[in-house]
Amino acid sequence: WNRSGTMADSKEDQSGVLTAGKLYDVSTSLPERSWFGLADTGGRFATTACLYYYFALTHPFSFFKHVWAWNRTWHGPLTALVASSTYLAFPATVMVWSAWKRIKPYLFKVEADWMMAGPGRVFFLSPEGRLSTLLWDSYLDLSQMVGVFLMCSKSEIDLAVEHSLYDRLTDKDFWRGVMGTSKIRVPYEFGRWESNKLALTGPQSITGKDIVAKIVDSYLGIGDRFLEYGKDFESKESLEKLAIEEAKWQGKTTLFLEWVRPLPKLGVHSVDIVTIDTPKGPKVVSCLYWGECTGVSSHSAQG
């Protein structure tokens, strides 16, 4: 998606229809294997490393620039210099860096990284086994950098690198706008906490309504609050008092949305559906179910 909320240029066939070529078959025809075992994590890292060297050979200048920009954005100029100096062996450098990140907490007091900082850490839990964990960590680090180049090398690559760290444009307001334009049902917005003030903007009253509060530019559930009417708040004034006391919301824009609950027989769950457009129309690439939740959101999924 570009700045205006429309899809960026994609490959088209002669009829002007977006095509996937063989990508759909490659993505959906996977051999049976033991997921997240040594062979799986090793295969993921090896595939990503091969793609890294493919780009290094076929896009030597633009990919080198991307490696520098990515590491400068995420880790600072010193790390970017190390990455550039080990450019030809960078996948090995990533493995060393991933091992160091696992050892470092035993030597120093460190904060959890962004993957483990919030309720959404369930999506990044490591596999069992030290070697599998090392390969998994290395795959995650390398695939994010390579994946952004794969998707955005011919478009706004600098903006894509920036947004890999902080969603300045593609925040919750952006995506709610995209879905609204597409006539998709989204949770109703009662109001928002903005400039350290509460504004109830919608025509519907909060009386008797349970609310989910979400920071507009946050991720992985960081800053989320699930608020029950009569228990956590009873009026605009009590909701505003709660917002003033919530440290994570200060200086941020926080949305107050309707709390949409699932059918009791299903329980809390979510479904990640990835689609791709083909000459024969849209098809589903993957459908991932997150269920057996122990909390009020799918960030607590156990299965």
PDB file of all heavy atoms in Angstrom, residues 276-298:
ATOM      1  N   ILE A 276      -3.706 -14.184  -2.175  1.00  0.00           N
ATOM      2  CA  ILE A 276      -2.908 -13.699  -3.296  1.00  0.00           C
ATOM      3  C   ILE A 276      -3.791 -13.690  -4.540  1.00  0.00           C
ATOM      4  O   ILE A 276      -4.670 -14.550  -4.691  1.00  0.00           O
ATOM      5  CB  ILE A 276      -1.652 -14.579  -3.522  1.00  0.00           C
ATOM      6  CG1 ILE A 276      -0.671 -13.907  -4.466  1.00  0.00           C
ATOM      7  CG2 ILE A 276      -2.024 -15.958  -4.014  1.00  0.00           C
ATOM      8  CD1 ILE A 276       0.693 -14.587  -4.516  1.00  0.00           C
ATOM      9  N   ASP A 277      -3.607 -12.698  -5.383  1.00  0.00           N
ATOM     10  CA  ASP A 277      -4.407 -12.598  -6.597  1.00  0.00           C
ATOM     11  C   ASP A 277      -3.724 -13.390  -7.711  1.00  0.00           C
ATOM     12  O   ASP A 277      -2.514 -13.273  -7.909  1.00  0.00           O
ATOM     13  CB  ASP A 277      -4.564 -11.134  -7.009  1.00  0.00           C
ATOM     14  CG  ASP A 277      -5.861 -10.886  -7.758  1.00  0.00           C
ATOM     15  OD1 ASP A 277      -6.533 -11.889  -8.095  1.00  0.00           O
ATOM     16  OD2 ASP A 277      -6.199  -9.731  -8.005  1.00  0.00           O
ATOM     17  N   THR A 278      -4.485 -14.201  -8.412  1.00  0.00           N
ATOM     18  CA  THR A 278      -3.965 -15.029  -9.503  1.00  0.00           C
ATOM     19  C   THR A 278      -4.785 -14.762 -10.757  1.00  0.00           C
ATOM     20  O   THR A 278      -5.832 -14.108 -10.704  1.00  0.00           O
ATOM     21  CB  THR A 278      -4.064 -16.527  -9.149  1.00  0.00           C
ATOM     22  OG1 THR A 278      -5.434 -16.942  -9.249  1.00  0.00           O
ATOM     23  CG2 THR A 278      -3.562 -16.803  -7.736  1.00  0.00           C
ATOM     24  N   PRO A 279      -4.336 -15.251 -11.919  1.00  0.00           N
ATOM     25  CA  PRO A 279      -5.129 -15.073 -13.142  1.00  0.00           C
ATOM     26  C   PRO A 279      -6.550 -15.641 -13.031  1.00  0.00           C
ATOM     27  O   PRO A 279      -7.457 -15.206 -13.734  1.00  0.00           O
ATOM     28  CB  PRO A 279      -4.315 -15.824 -14.201  1.00  0.00           C
ATOM     29  CG  PRO A 279      -2.908 -15.760 -13.699  1.00  0.00           C
ATOM     30  CD  PRO A 279      -3.026 -15.874 -12.211  1.00  0.00           C
ATOM     31  N   LYS A 280      -6.749 -16.600 -12.103  1.00  0.00           N
ATOM     32  CA  LYS A 280      -8.067 -17.201 -11.913  1.00  0.00           C
ATOM     33  C   LYS A 280      -8.818 -16.576 -10.739  1.00  0.00           C
ATOM     34  O   LYS A 280      -9.855 -17.085 -10.317  1.00  0.00           O
ATOM     35  CB  LYS A 280      -7.927 -18.707 -11.700  1.00  0.00           C
ATOM     36  CG  LYS A 280      -7.349 -19.438 -12.911  1.00  0.00           C
ATOM     37  CD  LYS A 280      -7.261 -20.929 -12.659  1.00  0.00           C
ATOM     38  CE  LYS A 280      -6.690 -21.657 -13.877  1.00  0.00           C
ATOM     39  NZ  LYS A 280      -6.590 -23.121 -13.630  1.00  0.00           N
ATOM     40  N   GLY A 281      -8.291 -15.469 -10.234  1.00  0.00           N
ATOM     41  CA  GLY A 281      -8.954 -14.792  -9.120  1.00  0.00           C
ATOM     42  C   GLY A 281      -8.220 -14.985  -7.807  1.00  0.00           C
ATOM     43  O   GLY A 281      -7.245 -15.744  -7.729  1.00  0.00           O
ATOM     44  N   PRO A 282      -8.648 -14.314  -6.744  1.00  0.00           N
ATOM     45  CA  PRO A 282      -7.981 -14.424  -5.439  1.00  0.00           C
ATOM     46  C   PRO A 282      -8.038 -15.845  -4.893  1.00  0.00           C
ATOM     47  O   PRO A 282      -9.042 -16.545  -5.047  1.00  0.00           O
ATOM     48  CB  PRO A 282      -8.790 -13.458  -4.555  1.00  0.00           C
ATOM     49  CG  PRO A 282      -9.501 -12.550  -5.500  1.00  0.00           C
ATOM     50  CD  PRO A 282      -9.768 -13.364  -6.720  1.00  0.00           C
ATOM     51  N   LYS A 283      -6.934 -16.264  -4.287  1.00  0.00           N
ATOM     52  CA  LYS A 283      -6.883 -17.570  -3.645  1.00  0.00           C
ATOM     53  C   LYS A 283      -6.244 -17.420  -2.271  1.00  0.00           C
ATOM     54  O   LYS A 283      -5.491 -16.493  -2.011  1.00  0.00           O
ATOM     55  CB  LYS A 283      -6.070 -18.565  -4.490  1.00  0.00           C
ATOM     56  CG  LYS A 283      -6.729 -18.956  -5.796  1.00  0.00           C
ATOM     57  CD  LYS A 283      -5.945 -20.061  -6.484  1.00  0.00           C
ATOM     58  CE  LYS A 283      -6.621 -20.523  -7.760  1.00  0.00           C
ATOM     59  NZ  LYS A 283      -5.879 -21.634  -8.405  1.00  0.00           N
ATOM     60  N   VAL A 284      -6.555 -18.367  -1.401  1.00  0.00           N
ATOM     61  CA  VAL A 284      -6.005 -18.365  -0.048  1.00  0.00           C
ATOM     62  C   VAL A 284      -4.638 -19.056  -0.056  1.00  0.00           C
ATOM     63  O   VAL A 284      -4.510 -20.186  -0.504  1.00  0.00           O
ATOM     64  CB  VAL A 284      -6.951 -19.076   0.933  1.00  0.00           C
ATOM     65  CG1 VAL A 284      -6.315 -19.177   2.317  1.00  0.00           C
ATOM     66  CG2 VAL A 284      -8.276 -18.331   1.022  1.00  0.00           C
ATOM     67  N   VAL A 285      -3.640 -18.340   0.434  1.00  0.00           N
ATOM     68  CA  VAL A 285      -2.296 -18.914   0.552  1.00  0.00           C
ATOM     69  C   VAL A 285      -2.173 -19.679   1.863  1.00  0.00           C
ATOM     70  O   VAL A 285      -1.656 -20.790   1.911  1.00  0.00           O
ATOM     71  CB  VAL A 285      -1.214 -17.813   0.478  1.00  0.00           C
ATOM     72  CG1 VAL A 285       0.170 -18.404   0.704  1.00  0.00           C
ATOM     73  CG2 VAL A 285      -1.263 -17.117  -0.870  1.00  0.00           C
ATOM     74  N   SER A 286      -2.636 -19.084   2.948  1.00  0.00           N
ATOM     75  CA  SER A 286      -2.561 -19.763   4.240  1.00  0.00           C
ATOM     76  C   SER A 286      -3.693 -19.274   5.128  1.00  0.00           C
ATOM     77  O   SER A 286      -4.202 -18.169   4.970  1.00  0.00           O
ATOM     78  CB  SER A 286      -1.213 -19.511   4.922  1.00  0.00           C
ATOM     79  OG  SER A 286      -1.064 -18.142   5.253  1.00  0.00           O
ATOM     80  N   CYS A 287      -4.084 -20.119   6.061  1.00  0.00           N
ATOM     81  CA  CYS A 287      -5.114 -19.780   7.036  1.00  0.00           C
ATOM     82  C   CYS A 287      -4.637 -20.324   8.383  1.00  0.00           C
ATOM     83  O   CYS A 287      -4.571 -21.535   8.577  1.00  0.00           O
ATOM     84  CB  CYS A 287      -6.449 -20.392   6.637  1.00  0.00           C
ATOM     85  SG  CYS A 287      -7.809 -19.942   7.739  1.00  0.00           S
ATOM     86  N   LEU A 288      -4.283 -19.419   9.276  1.00  0.00           N
ATOM     87  CA  LEU A 288      -3.709 -19.800  10.561  1.00  0.00           C
ATOM     88  C   LEU A 288      -4.676 -19.443  11.679  1.00  0.00           C
ATOM     89  O   LEU A 288      -5.077 -18.291  11.829  1.00  0.00           O
ATOM     90  CB  LEU A 288      -2.369 -19.081  10.770  1.00  0.00           C
ATOM     91  CG  LEU A 288      -1.615 -19.374  12.066  1.00  0.00           C
ATOM     92  CD1 LEU A 288      -1.270 -20.857  12.160  1.00  0.00           C
ATOM     93  CD2 LEU A 288      -0.354 -18.529  12.139  1.00  0.00           C
ATOM     94  N   TYR A 289      -5.070 -20.446  12.454  1.00  0.00           N
ATOM     95  CA  TYR A 289      -6.031 -20.268  13.541  1.00  0.00           C
ATOM     96  C   TYR A 289      -5.299 -20.145  14.870  1.00  0.00           C
ATOM     97  O   TYR A 289      -4.430 -20.960  15.200  1.00  0.00           O
ATOM     98  CB  TYR A 289      -6.991 -21.460  13.580  1.00  0.00           C
ATOM     99  CG  TYR A 289      -7.966 -21.444  14.746  1.00  0.00           C
ATOM    100  CD1 TYR A 289      -9.145 -20.715  14.674  1.00  0.00           C
ATOM    101  CD2 TYR A 289      -7.702 -22.178  15.907  1.00  0.00           C
ATOM    102  CE1 TYR A 289     -10.048 -20.701  15.729  1.00  0.00           C
ATOM    103  CE2 TYR A 289      -8.596 -22.165  16.968  1.00  0.00           C
ATOM    104  CZ  TYR A 289      -9.760 -21.426  16.880  1.00  0.00           C
ATOM    105  OH  TYR A 289     -10.653 -21.414  17.923  1.00  0.00           O
ATOM    106  N   TRP A 290      -5.634 -19.095  15.633  1.00  0.00           N
ATOM    107  CA  TRP A 290      -5.094 -18.912  16.973  1.00  0.00           C
ATOM    108  C   TRP A 290      -6.246 -19.112  17.959  1.00  0.00           C
ATOM    109  O   TRP A 290      -7.198 -18.345  17.970  1.00  0.00           O
ATOM    110  CB  TRP A 290      -4.506 -17.509  17.144  1.00  0.00           C
ATOM    111  CG  TRP A 290      -3.368 -17.201  16.211  1.00  0.00           C
ATOM    112  CD1 TRP A 290      -3.461 -16.674  14.961  1.00  0.00           C
ATOM    113  CD2 TRP A 290      -1.976 -17.418  16.459  1.00  0.00           C
ATOM    114  NE1 TRP A 290      -2.208 -16.537  14.408  1.00  0.00           N
ATOM    115  CE2 TRP A 290      -1.274 -16.983  15.307  1.00  0.00           C
ATOM    116  CE3 TRP A 290      -1.249 -17.910  17.545  1.00  0.00           C
ATOM    117  CZ2 TRP A 290       0.113 -17.040  15.201  1.00  0.00           C
ATOM    118  CZ3 TRP A 290       0.134 -17.975  17.444  1.00  0.00           C
ATOM    119  CH2 TRP A 290       0.801 -17.553  16.289  1.00  0.00           C
ATOM    120  N   GLY A 291      -6.153 -20.151  18.785  1.00  0.00           N
ATOM    121  CA  GLY A 291      -7.236 -20.453  19.702  1.00  0.00           C
ATOM    122  C   GLY A 291      -6.738 -20.945  21.047  1.00  0.00           C
ATOM    123  O   GLY A 291      -5.569 -20.788  21.396  1.00  0.00           O
ATOM    124  N   GLU A 292      -7.667 -21.569  21.812  1.00  0.00           N
ATOM    125  CA  GLU A 292      -7.370 -22.049  23.165  1.00  0.00           C
ATOM    126  C   GLU A 292      -6.771 -20.922  24.003  1.00  0.00           C
ATOM    127  O   GLU A 292      -5.773 -21.094  24.703  1.00  0.00           O
ATOM    128  CB  GLU A 292      -6.430 -23.261  23.122  1.00  0.00           C
ATOM    129  CG  GLU A 292      -6.986 -24.432  22.343  1.00  0.00           C
ATOM    130  CD  GLU A 292      -6.011 -25.596  22.251  1.00  0.00           C
ATOM    131  OE1 GLU A 292      -5.122 -25.689  23.120  1.00  0.00           O
ATOM    132  OE2 GLU A 292      -6.135 -26.396  21.320  1.00  0.00           O
ATOM    133  N   CYS A 293      -7.398 -19.752  23.920  1.00  0.00           N
ATOM    134  CA  CYS A 293      -6.859 -18.556  24.586  1.00  0.00           C
ATOM    135  C   CYS A 293      -7.170 -18.577  26.080  1.00  0.00           C
ATOM    136  O   CYS A 293      -8.247 -19.005  26.500  1.00  0.00           O
ATOM    137  CB  CYS A 293      -7.444 -17.295  23.953  1.00  0.00           C
ATOM    138  SG  CYS A 293      -7.027 -17.121  22.203  1.00  0.00           S
ATOM    139  N   THR A 294      -6.233 -18.096  26.862  1.00  0.00           N
ATOM    140  CA  THR A 294      -6.398 -18.047  28.314  1.00  0.00           C
ATOM    141  C   THR A 294      -6.790 -16.655  28.795  1.00  0.00           C
ATOM    142  O   THR A 294      -7.074 -16.470  29.974  1.00  0.00           O
ATOM    143  CB  THR A 294      -5.097 -18.472  29.012  1.00  0.00           C
ATOM    144  OG1 THR A 294      -4.032 -17.609  28.592  1.00  0.00           O
ATOM    145  CG2 THR A 294      -4.735 -19.906  28.641  1.00  0.00           C
ATOM    146  N   GLY A 295      -6.784 -15.668  27.900  1.00  0.00           N
ATOM    147  CA  GLY A 295      -7.111 -14.294  28.268  1.00  0.00           C
ATOM    148  C   GLY A 295      -8.185 -13.721  27.380  1.00  0.00           C
ATOM    149  O   GLY A 295      -8.887 -14.448  26.660  1.00  0.00           O
ATOM    150  N   VAL A 296      -8.287 -12.392  27.379  1.00  0.00           N
ATOM    151  CA  VAL A 296      -9.365 -11.720  26.661  1.00  0.00           C
ATOM    152  C   VAL A 296      -9.013 -11.423  25.207  1.00  0.00           C
ATOM    153  O   VAL A 296      -9.855 -10.920  24.457  1.00  0.00           O
ATOM    154  CB  VAL A 296      -9.770 -10.413  27.370  1.00  0.00           C
ATOM    155  CG1 VAL A 296     -10.392 -10.707  28.721  1.00  0.00           C
ATOM    156  CG2 VAL A 296      -8.551  -9.490  27.530  1.00  0.00           C
ATOM    157  N   SER A 297      -7.781 -11.692  24.782  1.00  0.00           N
ATOM    158  CA  SER A 297      -7.403 -11.477  23.390  1.00  0.00           C
ATOM    159  C   SER A 297      -6.652 -12.695  22.872  1.00  0.00           C
ATOM    160  O   SER A 297      -6.176 -13.534  23.648  1.00  0.00           O
ATOM    161  CB  SER A 297      -6.532 -10.223  23.232  1.00  0.00           C
ATOM    162  OG  SER A 297      -5.173 -10.502  23.506  1.00  0.00           O
ATOM    163  N   SER A 298      -6.530 -12.775  21.555  1.00  0.00           N
ATOM    164  CA  SER A 298      -5.834 -13.927  20.955  1.00  0.00           C
ATOM    165  C   SER A 298      -4.339 -13.885  21.189  1.00  0.00           C
ATOM    166  O   SER A 298      -3.621 -14.814  20.828  1.00  0.00           O
ATOM    167  CB  SER A 298      -6.129 -13.993  19.454  1.00  0.00           C
ATOM    168  OG  SER A 298      -5.759 -12.789  18.808  1.00  0.00           O
TER     169      SER A 298
END
